[in-house]
mmCIF file with all atom_site columns, all heavy atoms in Angstrom:
data_model
loop_
_atom_site.group_PDB
_atom_site.id
_atom_site.type_symbol
_atom_site.label_atom_id
_atom_site.label_alt_id
_atom_site.label_comp_id
_atom_site.label_asym_id
_atom_site.label_entity_id
_atom_site.label_seq_id
_atom_site.pdbx_PDB_ins_code
_atom_site.Cartn_x
_atom_site.Cartn_y
_atom_site.Cartn_z
_atom_site.occupancy
_atom_site.B_iso_or_equiv
_atom_site.pdbx_formal_charge
_atom_site.auth_seq_id
_atom_site.auth_comp_id
_atom_site.auth_asym_id
_atom_site.auth_atom_id
_atom_site.pdbx_PDB_model_num
ATOM 1  N N   . ASN A 1 102 ? -46.679 4.582 -24.160 1.00 91.00 ? 448 ASN A N   1
ATOM 2  C CA  . ASN A 1 102 ? -45.548 5.293 -23.794 1.00 91.00 ? 448 ASN A CA  1
ATOM 3  C C   . ASN A 1 102 ? -44.629 4.355 -23.079 1.00 91.00 ? 448 ASN A C   1
ATOM 4  O O   . ASN A 1 102 ? -44.988 3.550 -22.164 1.00 91.00 ? 448 ASN A O   1
ATOM 5  C CB  . ASN A 1 102 ? -46.073 6.414 -22.795 1.00 91.00 ? 448 ASN A CB  1
ATOM 6  C CG  . ASN A 1 102 ? -46.758 7.542 -23.415 1.00 91.00 ? 448 ASN A CG  1
ATOM 7  O OD1 . ASN A 1 102 ? -46.630 7.696 -24.680 1.00 91.00 ? 448 ASN A OD1 1
ATOM 8  N ND2 . ASN A 1 102 ? -47.515 8.292 -22.780 1.00 91.00 ? 448 ASN A ND2 1
ATOM 9  N N   . ILE A 1 103 ? -43.365 4.419 -23.350 1.00 93.00 ? 449 ILE A N   1
ATOM 10 C CA  . ILE A 1 103 ? -42.309 3.708 -22.876 1.00 93.00 ? 449 ILE A CA  1
ATOM 11 C C   . ILE A 1 103 ? -41.296 4.735 -22.224 1.00 93.00 ? 449 ILE A C   1
ATOM 12 O O   . ILE A 1 103 ? -40.871 5.559 -22.916 1.00 93.00 ? 449 ILE A O   1
ATOM 13 C CB  . ILE A 1 103 ? -41.512 2.711 -23.714 1.00 93.00 ? 449 ILE A CB  1
ATOM 14 C CG1 . ILE A 1 103 ? -42.644 1.905 -24.532 1.00 93.00 ? 449 ILE A CG1 1
ATOM 15 C CG2 . ILE A 1 103 ? -40.561 1.908 -23.141 1.00 93.00 ? 449 ILE A CG2 1
ATOM 16 C CD1 . ILE A 1 103 ? -43.458 0.951 -23.691 1.00 93.00 ? 449 ILE A CD1 1
ATOM 17 N N   . ALA A 1 104 ? -40.743 4.350 -21.112 1.00 94.00 ? 450 ALA A N   1
ATOM 18 C CA  . ALA A 1 104 ? -39.649 5.088 -20.426 1.00 94.00 ? 450 ALA A CA  1
ATOM 19 C C   . ALA A 1 104 ? -38.385 4.366 -20.619 1.00 94.00 ? 450 ALA A C   1
ATOM 20 O O   . ALA A 1 104 ? -38.203 3.084 -20.250 1.00 94.00 ? 450 ALA A O   1
ATOM 21 C CB  . ALA A 1 104 ? -39.907 5.327 -18.963 1.00 94.00 ? 450 ALA A CB  1
ATOM 22 N N   . LEU A 1 105 ? -37.347 5.011 -21.287 1.00 95.00 ? 451 LEU A N   1
ATOM 23 C CA  . LEU A 1 105 ? -36.206 4.387 -21.517 1.00 95.00 ? 451 LEU A CA  1
ATOM 24 C C   . LEU A 1 105 ? -35.051 5.144 -20.660 1.00 95.00 ? 451 LEU A C   1
ATOM 25 O O   . LEU A 1 105 ? -35.022 6.302 -20.743 1.00 95.00 ? 451 LEU A O   1
ATOM 26 C CB  . LEU A 1 105 ? -35.688 4.503 -22.925 1.00 95.00 ? 451 LEU A CB  1
ATOM 27 C CG  . LEU A 1 105 ? -36.516 3.789 -23.937 1.00 95.00 ? 451 LEU A CG  1
ATOM 28 C CD1 . LEU A 1 105 ? -35.906 3.849 -25.449 1.00 95.00 ? 451 LEU A CD1 1
ATOM 29 C CD2 . LEU A 1 105 ? -36.639 2.231 -23.594 1.00 95.00 ? 451 LEU A CD2 1
ATOM 30 N N   . MET A 1 106 ? -34.305 4.351 -19.852 1.00 95.00 ? 452 MET A N   1
ATOM 31 C CA  . MET A 1 106 ? -33.245 4.849 -19.096 1.00 95.00 ? 452 MET A CA  1
ATOM 32 C C   . MET A 1 106 ? -31.905 4.482 -19.684 1.00 95.00 ? 452 MET A C   1
ATOM 33 O O   . MET A 1 106 ? -31.619 3.272 -19.841 1.00 95.00 ? 452 MET A O   1
ATOM 34 C CB  . MET A 1 106 ? -33.235 4.392 -17.579 1.00 95.00 ? 452 MET A CB  1
ATOM 35 C CG  . MET A 1 106 ? -32.054 4.847 -16.789 1.00 95.00 ? 452 MET A CG  1
ATOM 36 S SD  . MET A 1 106 ? -32.038 4.153 -15.062 1.00 95.00 ? 452 MET A SD  1
ATOM 37 C CE  . MET A 1 106 ? -33.226 5.357 -14.230 1.00 95.00 ? 452 MET A CE  1
ATOM 38 N N   . THR A 1 107 ? -31.182 5.398 -20.275 1.00 95.00 ? 453 THR A N   1
ATOM 39 C CA  . THR A 1 107 ? -30.003 5.271 -21.026 1.00 95.00 ? 453 THR A CA  1
ATOM 40 C C   . THR A 1 107 ? -28.852 5.447 -19.962 1.00 95.00 ? 453 THR A C   1
ATOM 41 O O   . THR A 1 107 ? -28.822 6.398 -19.175 1.00 95.00 ? 453 THR A O   1
ATOM 42 C CB  . THR A 1 107 ? -29.644 6.224 -22.146 1.00 95.00 ? 453 THR A CB  1
ATOM 43 O OG1 . THR A 1 107 ? -29.681 7.576 -21.704 1.00 95.00 ? 453 THR A OG1 1
ATOM 44 C CG2 . THR A 1 107 ? -30.792 6.123 -23.181 1.00 95.00 ? 453 THR A CG2 1
ATOM 45 N N   . ILE A 1 108 ? -27.947 4.477 -19.840 1.00 94.00 ? 454 ILE A N   1
ATOM 46 C CA  . ILE A 1 108 ? -26.863 4.433 -18.887 1.00 94.00 ? 454 ILE A CA  1
ATOM 47 C C   . ILE A 1 108 ? -25.524 4.323 -19.500 1.00 94.00 ? 454 ILE A C   1
ATOM 48 O O   . ILE A 1 108 ? -25.266 3.621 -20.347 1.00 94.00 ? 454 ILE A O   1
ATOM 49 C CB  . ILE A 1 108 ? -27.049 3.187 -17.970 1.00 94.00 ? 454 ILE A CB  1
ATOM 50 C CG1 . ILE A 1 108 ? -28.536 3.182 -17.404 1.00 94.00 ? 454 ILE A CG1 1
ATOM 51 C CG2 . ILE A 1 108 ? -25.924 3.225 -16.846 1.00 94.00 ? 454 ILE A CG2 1
ATOM 52 C CD1 . ILE A 1 108 ? -28.939 1.807 -16.826 1.00 94.00 ? 454 ILE A CD1 1
ATOM 53 N N   . GLU A 1 109 ? -24.689 5.309 -19.154 1.00 93.00 ? 455 GLU A N   1
ATOM 54 C CA  . GLU A 1 109 ? -23.317 5.429 -19.639 1.00 93.00 ? 455 GLU A CA  1
ATOM 55 C C   . GLU A 1 109 ? -22.420 4.475 -18.991 1.00 93.00 ? 455 GLU A C   1
ATOM 56 O O   . GLU A 1 109 ? -22.562 4.172 -17.756 1.00 93.00 ? 455 GLU A O   1
ATOM 57 C CB  . GLU A 1 109 ? -22.652 6.744 -19.533 1.00 93.00 ? 455 GLU A CB  1
ATOM 58 C CG  . GLU A 1 109 ? -23.428 7.847 -20.301 1.00 93.00 ? 455 GLU A CG  1
ATOM 59 C CD  . GLU A 1 109 ? -23.494 7.707 -21.727 1.00 93.00 ? 455 GLU A CD  1
ATOM 60 O OE1 . GLU A 1 109 ? -22.496 7.141 -22.296 1.00 93.00 ? 455 GLU A OE1 1
ATOM 61 O OE2 . GLU A 1 109 ? -24.421 8.140 -22.482 1.00 93.00 ? 455 GLU A OE2 1
ATOM 62 N N   . GLY A 1 110 ? -21.399 3.900 -19.648 1.00 90.00 ? 456 GLY A N   1
ATOM 63 C CA  . GLY A 1 110 ? -20.371 2.843 -19.053 1.00 90.00 ? 456 GLY A CA  1
ATOM 64 C C   . GLY A 1 110 ? -19.433 3.840 -18.207 1.00 90.00 ? 456 GLY A C   1
ATOM 65 O O   . GLY A 1 110 ? -19.123 4.971 -18.393 1.00 90.00 ? 456 GLY A O   1
ATOM 66 N N   . ASN A 1 111 ? -18.757 3.129 -17.317 1.00 87.00 ? 457 ASN A N   1
ATOM 67 C CA  . ASN A 1 111 ? -17.676 3.775 -16.484 1.00 87.00 ? 457 ASN A CA  1
ATOM 68 C C   . ASN A 1 111 ? -16.432 3.063 -16.579 1.00 87.00 ? 457 ASN A C   1
ATOM 69 O O   . ASN A 1 111 ? -16.342 1.823 -16.827 1.00 87.00 ? 457 ASN A O   1
ATOM 70 C CB  . ASN A 1 111 ? -18.126 3.924 -15.039 1.00 87.00 ? 457 ASN A CB  1
ATOM 71 C CG  . ASN A 1 111 ? -18.320 2.603 -14.461 1.00 87.00 ? 457 ASN A CG  1
ATOM 72 O OD1 . ASN A 1 111 ? -17.498 1.850 -14.069 1.00 87.00 ? 457 ASN A OD1 1
ATOM 73 N ND2 . ASN A 1 111 ? -19.613 2.212 -14.257 1.00 87.00 ? 457 ASN A ND2 1
ATOM 74 N N   . ALA A 1 112 ? -15.208 3.806 -16.491 1.00 84.00 ? 458 ALA A N   1
ATOM 75 C CA  . ALA A 1 112 ? -13.886 3.187 -16.571 1.00 84.00 ? 458 ALA A CA  1
ATOM 76 C C   . ALA A 1 112 ? -13.599 2.213 -15.584 1.00 84.00 ? 458 ALA A C   1
ATOM 77 O O   . ALA A 1 112 ? -12.901 1.173 -15.733 1.00 84.00 ? 458 ALA A O   1
ATOM 78 C CB  . ALA A 1 112 ? -12.904 4.266 -16.737 1.00 84.00 ? 458 ALA A CB  1
ATOM 79 N N   . ILE A 1 113 ? -13.861 2.541 -14.324 1.00 88.00 ? 459 ILE A N   1
ATOM 80 C CA  . ILE A 1 113 ? -13.618 1.750 -13.136 1.00 88.00 ? 459 ILE A CA  1
ATOM 81 C C   . ILE A 1 113 ? -14.875 1.106 -12.512 1.00 88.00 ? 459 ILE A C   1
ATOM 82 O O   . ILE A 1 113 ? -15.818 1.875 -12.296 1.00 88.00 ? 459 ILE A O   1
ATOM 83 C CB  . ILE A 1 113 ? -12.892 2.679 -12.083 1.00 88.00 ? 459 ILE A CB  1
ATOM 84 C CG1 . ILE A 1 113 ? -11.663 3.223 -12.668 1.00 88.00 ? 459 ILE A CG1 1
ATOM 85 C CG2 . ILE A 1 113 ? -12.508 1.659 -10.795 1.00 88.00 ? 459 ILE A CG2 1
ATOM 86 C CD1 . ILE A 1 113 ? -10.914 4.182 -11.636 1.00 88.00 ? 459 ILE A CD1 1
#
Side-chain angles (χ1 to χ4, degrees):
N448 288 341
I449 305 298
L451 299 183
M452 176 182 282
T453 62
I454 304 162
E455 299 295 332
N457 59 80
I459 300 175

